[in-house]
Amino acid sequence: MMKLAPYPEYKDSGQPFLGDIPVHWNLFRNGRLFSQRNETGFGELPILEVSLKTGVRVRDMENLKRKQVMADREKYKRAAQGDIAYNMMRMWQGAVGVAPVDGLVSPAYVVVRPFPEVDCRYFSYLFRTASYMNEVDAYSRGIVKDRNRLYWQDFKRMPSPVPSIEEQRHITSFLDAVGSKAQRFIRNKRRLIGLLKEQKQNVINQAVTRGLDPKIKFKPSGVEWIGDIPEHWDATKLKRVVSFNPSKSETRANPADEEKVVFLPMENISVNGDIDCSEKRTLSEVWNGFNYFRRGDVVVAKITPCFENGKGAYLKGLESDFGFGTTELIVLRPSKAIDGAFLRFLTSTKQFLLLGEQYMTGAAGQQRIPSDFVKNYPIGLPPIDEQLEILEHIQEKSAEIDQAISRAQREIELMREYRTRLISDVVTGHVDVRGIEVPEIAEDELLALEEDTADADDEIDDEGDMDETD
DNA sequence: TTCGTAAACGCCTGGGGCCA
DNA sequence: TGGCCCCAGGCGTTTACGAA
């Protein structure tokens, strides 16, 4: 990260949200920088949309995700290339951007045309800073926050810090370059996280299907896609060591009782095997129509996409002795020959999930895994002592990998914080970037940056599931 | 008990209508 | 034109329910 210094001299802007600004900067009302463009009757132009995520872009009419009701294109407003357009209902959330081409926007949007001393990209950065959005909120009107609108009359009263046009351009180029660099960093970290997750899965797969000692003798498992297994392991099927969907009559509980037990809907089971036991229901509520299980059982989701995502859990930490859950689970009760945690790993391996996908039955989109597939799933089974050693090994290796993943996720968060803070500091004049040389950025890199910057905020909580197509 | 499928639900994005 | 309310529609996920 580069070392940046403040400007040599400052003056009071008179605006609490800005504080001091460089002495050579101006503070103008937006009405001094932009005029409203209210032109209609250009029905042949492409439709533009403004959203919180993507700023302004051309709407893809051929691959519309939703059918937009478009009353009359002639009533849509024209936004010329380089104008700023904002969604008046969402401006306080940052729904603003620069029109990439001449196009049309909804009559509910506001289009502003820049005067010659304005570089719209600089103002697009400024308008999306947290402090400016707060100010927008204060200038917006509406009876509830969610419906606050920023009308042109109010927008034009808002003050903005204004460097010279040359400095605006330099700042914009600088921020584009920094953003591009940050995005590359984040992309690489995401790749790393993806690889680490894969590595963790491989550690598990390797350990539960081939054991820990690569030097021992192997024998053919008899199943082509499993390959060889250690010679002293049993080649068997899950149904030989697991009982399926045990009967609730074993609880000897009275179904009419008002006793409360844990209830697990699908959403309370996570893909990493954690369960949320906070939901409790009475026996009379759940006795009929739901799946029964007890502490120490293993559950596997059978419906798409839960199965494909590997949803399932080892119910070691179930808060009540037994409980009930959605019928979209298969309940597996481990025998003495197999440890519950080992069983959970076996039913979350890549092989199990990929093969299971091929056996899915039912209507597209809502398929289920047949219980026969699970019952007849072939496995290599080590002696119970060895299973425990394997579990210990997985735990140790997973902890190391999890640590590396957390570190990478934290680095991404820090980079985003740095980028956001830097943009805010630069466009409000808190740091001086005039003397810093800006590297050239290719146009396609710039376009990618615009998309990525918008997407990035959504991905913060879920780094692993991102589409790594680039 | 298993399976097929409709429907509910939440989230998200964005636009239209009505009235003053 | 402004102010406000409500609706449309996509999509993924999950539940509910009835038939086999």
Side-chain angles (χ1 to χ4, degrees), chain A residues 103-293:
Chain A
L104 299 175
V105 296
S106 156
Y109 292 173
V110 174
V111 180
V112 299
R113 174 172 40 187
F115 289 149
E117 68 269 32
V118 168
D119 181 329
C120 278
R121 284 185 58 83
Y122 163 80
F123 285 91
S124 179
Y125 274 120
L126 174 69
F127 294 159
R128 284 168 168 259
T129 59
S131 57
Y132 205 91
M133 284 194 284
N134 274 338
E135 199 64 6
V136 164
D137 200 24
Y139 275 79
S140 297
R141 285 177 277 164
I143 56 165
V144 288
K145 185 177 171 68
D146 189 47
R147 291 295 169 186
N148 267 357
R149 292 184 187 203
L150 182 70
Y151 296 95
W152 159 249
Q153 297 301 330
D154 298 313
F155 172 79
K156 73 178 185 183
R157 290 192 298 117
M158 290 190 65
S160 291
V162 188
S164 68
I165 183 72
E166 292 77 21
E167 198 170 342
Q168 287 174 42
R169 287 183 187 136
H170 183 77
I171 286 174
T172 301
S173 306
F174 171 79
L175 290 178
D176 287 347
V178 169
S180 163
K181 212 170 169 183
Q183 206 51 41
R184 272 200 301 273
F185 174 88
I186 289 171
R187 218 176 269 169
N188 288 337
K189 289 293 169 188
R190 284 185 200 155
R191 285 201 188 101
L192 174 65
I193 289 170
L195 290 173
L196 286 168
K197 287 189 172 175
E198 207 170 304
Q199 188 188 344
K200 184 175 167 182
Q201 189 65 49
N202 287 341
V203 166
I204 294 171
N205 286 356
Q206 176 78 16
V208 299
T209 58
R210 293 180 68 83
L212 302 178
D213 185 357
K215 291 178 187 160
I216 58 166
K217 276 192 169 179
F218 284 82
K219 66 180 180 187
S221 65
V223 180
E224 188 188 343
W225 57 269
I226 290 188
D228 293 346
I229 58 172
E231 200 176 37
H232 63 289
W233 288 20
D234 279 341
T236 182
K237 292 179 176 176
L238 269 185
K239 65 182 177 187
R240 308 271 180 229
V241 288
V242 162
S243 57
F244 287 79
N245 296 332
S247 165
K248 60 198 168 199
S249 61
E250 69 177 19
T251 67
R252 296 182 186 171
N254 181 352
D257 266 358
E258 291 306 296
E259 179 190 349
K260 288 203 165 181
V261 293
V262 171
F263 182 80
L264 287 181
M266 193 64 83
E267 61 187 12
N268 286 8
I269 301 169
S270 76
V271 289
N272 61 16
D274 295 333
I275 53 170
D276 172 2
C277 294
S278 58
E279 187 168 344
K280 309 278 196 307
R281 294 196 188 174
T282 60
L283 281 179
S284 57
E285 281 178 293
V286 296
W287 193 263
N288 290 314
F290 294 101
N291 268 2
Y292 160 81
F293 43 72

Side-chain angles (χ1 to χ4, degrees), chain A residues 295-310:
Chain A
R295 190 183 294 129
D297 286 348
V298 170
V299 290
V300 176
K302 59 180 173 185
I303 194 166
T304 55
C306 302
F307 174 83
E308 291 157 359
N309 291 341

Side-chain angles (χ1 to χ4, degrees), chain A residues 7 11 13 15 17-34 114-120 122-123 126-127 132 155-156 158-169 171 426-430 434:
Chain A
Y7 284 83
K11 63 184 179 189
S13 71
Q15 299 294 328
F17 82 99
L18 281 174
D20 291 344
I21 57 173
V23 74
H24 64 285
W25 284 26
N26 290 308
L27 187 82
F28 290 145
R29 302 273 167 201
N30 286 337
R32 161 84 172 67
L33 302 166
F34 303 95
F115 289 149
E117 68 269 32
V118 168
D119 181 329
C120 278
Y122 163 80
F123 285 91
L126 174 69
F127 294 159
Y132 205 91
F155 172 79
K156 73 178 185 183
M158 290 190 65
S160 291
V162 188
S164 68
I165 183 72
E166 292 77 21
E167 198 170 342
Q168 287 174 42
R169 287 183 187 136
I171 286 174
V426 172
V427 296
T428 55
H430 291 160
R434 288 173 301 177

Side-chain angles (χ1 to χ4, degrees), chain A residues 15 19 64 106 127 153 188 261 263 313 365 370 392 406 421 447 449 459 464 470:
Chain A
Q15 299 294 328
L64 272 186
S106 156
F127 294 159
Q153 297 301 330
N188 288 337
V261 293
F263 182 80
E392 205 172 315
S406 302
R421 180 67 196 270
L447 288 172
L449 168 65
E459 294 162 356
D470 49 339

Side-chain angles (χ1 to χ4, degrees), chain A residues 91-111:
Chain A
M91 176 68 170
W92 61 278
Q93 294 171 301
V96 58
V98 181
V101 294
D102 281 12
L104 299 175
V105 296
S106 156
Y109 292 173
V110 174
V111 180

